[in-house]
Amino acid sequence: MRAKTKMIHGGITGDEQTGAVSVPIYQVSTYKQESAGNHSGYEYSRTGNPTRHALETVIADLENGKSGFAFGSGMAAITSVMMLFDSGDHIVMTDDVYGGSYRLMTSVINRFKLNHDYVDTSYPEKVEAAIQENTKAIFIETPTNPLLKITDLKKMAEIAKKHNLLLIVDNTFATPYWQQPLDLGADIVLHSATKYIGGHSDVVAGLVAVNAADLAERLHFIQNSVGAVLGPQDSWLLMRGIKTLGLRMEAIEANTKKIMEFLQDHDHVSEVYYPGLKSHPGHDTAEGQATGFGGMLSFDVGSGEKADNVLDKVTYFTLAESLGAVESLISIPAKMTHASIPRERRLELGITDGLIRLSVGIEDADDLIEDLKSALDL
């Protein structure tokens, strides 16, 4: 089954009892049991809900995994995955990581003595050098947020296997339409489903897919224990969003490539970050492990003042947190998504005050380019 077909026909697609072609929203907390402990598969909606289960089967199918899990947010998904590890364990993480993930690891998870080091995972030798006796996993974003760095997933899988580590991949930017990390050797893939998978700025959610039954059992135990579950209404919204994911990603990428070409030639733009650029250091790797380059693009205008000016002038780009929606969004990572990272650290990574991040939508590309031109030329 090809990708677009799988997004319509993958997982559980309807209701056998009524013939409904859309999975119903089971807005229910508990379920009748025939006798004590004897139930039809559902007993309490924290443990399992038919609508959520349908979504979980779809994400497992899309990522070619054994099992899927739906969480109340992307951060709930990451936190639950981190609970697979013990106090004293060590994680190697991508350095250019989402600000929320950075905050989680440095201000919350560290309290439980789960240790981590940030490494530029686009260099496999740096990853291997960071591995310690107590290292248990490698956590990767590719492409990264917001500098769009690329990590070679096959090489990371080789390193993980060599050292008996779990390989965890945040696949939010690429989406399962463009990239399937489990097929490349990852053990766990996760998404902020708030972004492209939902795609309409109307739901907050996280999704995880795993490649092994033992991992699925452990993660389900954690999810049920901490209650980090997605409600049925939001589960249904994500299933609806998934049906058009392929179409949206193709339209978004087409727009992004046109905007990339415009920004490359603009005198007021000093740098463009997009893996679809042939000059991007990770271009060949991205081309080899994904079928598309996505809809996230960052560019530098030289200063925070100039970046603020661009944001003040744009019309069709909405100034907002988040990404991956049908409408185009614009942000300054240093002041928004990555504000929780100390400025010195941001500058070390290359997240300057003048860096602008675009989440390109499905509007007419010419309108978006004209919008950016009028903002940059003033």
Side-chain angles (χ1 to χ4, degrees), residues 251-253 255-256 295 317 325-329 359-363 368:
I252 285 169
E253 181 173 275
N255 280 353
T256 305
F317 285 87
V326 290
E327 65 271 6
S328 293
L329 304 177
S359 171
V360 179
I362 63 172
E363 302 95 338
L368 296 176

Side-chain angles (χ1 to χ4, degrees), residues 171-305:
N171 203 31
T172 299
F173 272 25
T175 81
Y177 185 66
W178 293 132
Q179 181 172 268
Q180 289 84 40
L182 298 183
D183 288 349
L184 299 172
D187 300 289
I188 300 172
V189 59
L190 56 87
H191 297 268
S192 173
T194 310
K195 313 305 192 293
Y196 288 109
I197 289 177
H200 293 79
S201 299
D202 56 9
V203 62
V204 173
L207 294 174
V208 172
V210 300
N211 69 350
D214 64 321
L215 272 176
E217 184 177 351
R218 291 166 60 197
L219 192 56
H220 180 263
F221 179 83
I222 290 168
Q223 183 186 43
N224 185 46
S225 298
V226 303
V229 298
L230 188 65
Q233 176 77 28
D234 289 342
S235 296
W236 185 87
L237 284 170
L238 285 189
M239 284 189 287
R240 186 178 68 168
I242 285 171
K243 293 180 188 299
T244 61
L245 177 61
L247 296 174
R248 287 186 284 109
M249 293 312 298
E250 289 180 358
I252 285 169
E253 181 173 275
N255 280 353
T256 305
K257 287 180 176 178
K258 292 178 181 178
I259 291 170
M260 172 196 75
E261 292 170 358
F262 161 74
L263 290 172
Q264 267 194 296
D265 295 332
H266 201 285
D267 293 340
H268 295 166
V269 175
S270 60
E271 190 75 47
V272 178
Y273 301 91
Y274 183 64
L277 276 167
K278 290 188 178 180
S279 59
H280 188 288
H283 173 81
D284 290 344
T285 300
E287 194 171 45
Q289 68 188 18
T291 54
F293 299 108
M296 298 301 300
L297 180 152
S298 295
F299 64 100
D300 203 314
V301 293
S303 72
E305 181 181 359

Side-chain angles (χ1 to χ4, degrees), residues 44 110 161 213 265 281 326 330 347:
Y44 189 61
N110 65 322
K161 185 175 182 180
D265 295 332
V326 290
I330 191 168
L347 294 178

Side-chain angles (χ1 to χ4, degrees), residues 90-141:
H90 175 259
I91 312 292
V92 177
M93 297 191 71
T94 297
D95 59 353
D96 181 32
V97 73
Y98 166 55
S101 300
Y102 179 92
R103 178 176 57 221
L104 172 71
M105 298 302 296
T106 57
S107 300
V108 180
I109 294 294
N110 65 322
R111 299 178 191 172
F112 303 96
K113 302 189 185 306
L114 179 59
N115 306 305
H116 66 280
D117 280 305
Y118 295 111
V119 175
D120 186 346
T121 55
S122 56
Y123 295 92
E125 64 274 14
K126 292 184 179 182
V127 174
E128 192 138 26
I131 295 172
Q132 306 172 9
E133 287 186 7
N134 59 334
T135 302
K136 300 298 181 183
I138 303 170
F139 182 101
I140 290 167
E141 284 184 19

Side-chain angles (χ1 to χ4, degrees), residues 6-142:
K6 190 182 286 187
M7 287 169 185
I8 304 296
H9 296 284
I12 297 170
T13 58
D15 180 42
E16 292 184 1
Q17 288 187 328
T18 65
V21 296
S22 175
V23 175
I25 299 171
Y26 286 90
Q27 195 69 51
V28 58
S29 61
T30 192
Y31 307 81
K32 180 182 177 181
Q33 301 189 18
E34 294 302 318
S35 59
N38 179 21
H39 53 78
S40 60
Y42 298 97
E43 53 186 322
Y44 189 61
S45 277
R46 172 167 42 80
T47 307
N49 174 280
T51 314
R52 188 172 84 239
H53 175 64
L55 170 63
E56 291 170 338
T57 64
V58 172
I59 192 59
D61 276 0
L62 294 183
E63 290 287 7
N64 298 323
K66 299 292 185 183
S67 297
F69 301 89
F71 295 86
S73 69
M75 293 313 305
I78 294 173
T79 302
S80 297
V81 167
M82 288 302 164
M83 288 181 179
L84 291 167
F85 306 104
D86 296 324
S87 177
D89 287 347
H90 175 259
I91 312 292
V92 177
M93 297 191 71
T94 297
D95 59 353
D96 181 32
V97 73
Y98 166 55
S101 300
Y102 179 92
R103 178 176 57 221
L104 172 71
M105 298 302 296
T106 57
S107 300
V108 180
I109 294 294
N110 65 322
R111 299 178 191 172
F112 303 96
K113 302 189 185 306
L114 179 59
N115 306 305
H116 66 280
D117 280 305
Y118 295 111
V119 175
D120 186 346
T121 55
S122 56
Y123 295 92
E125 64 274 14
K126 292 184 179 182
V127 174
E128 192 138 26
I131 295 172
Q132 306 172 9
E133 287 186 7
N134 59 334
T135 302
K136 300 298 181 183
I138 303 170
F139 182 101
I140 290 167
E141 284 184 19
T142 185

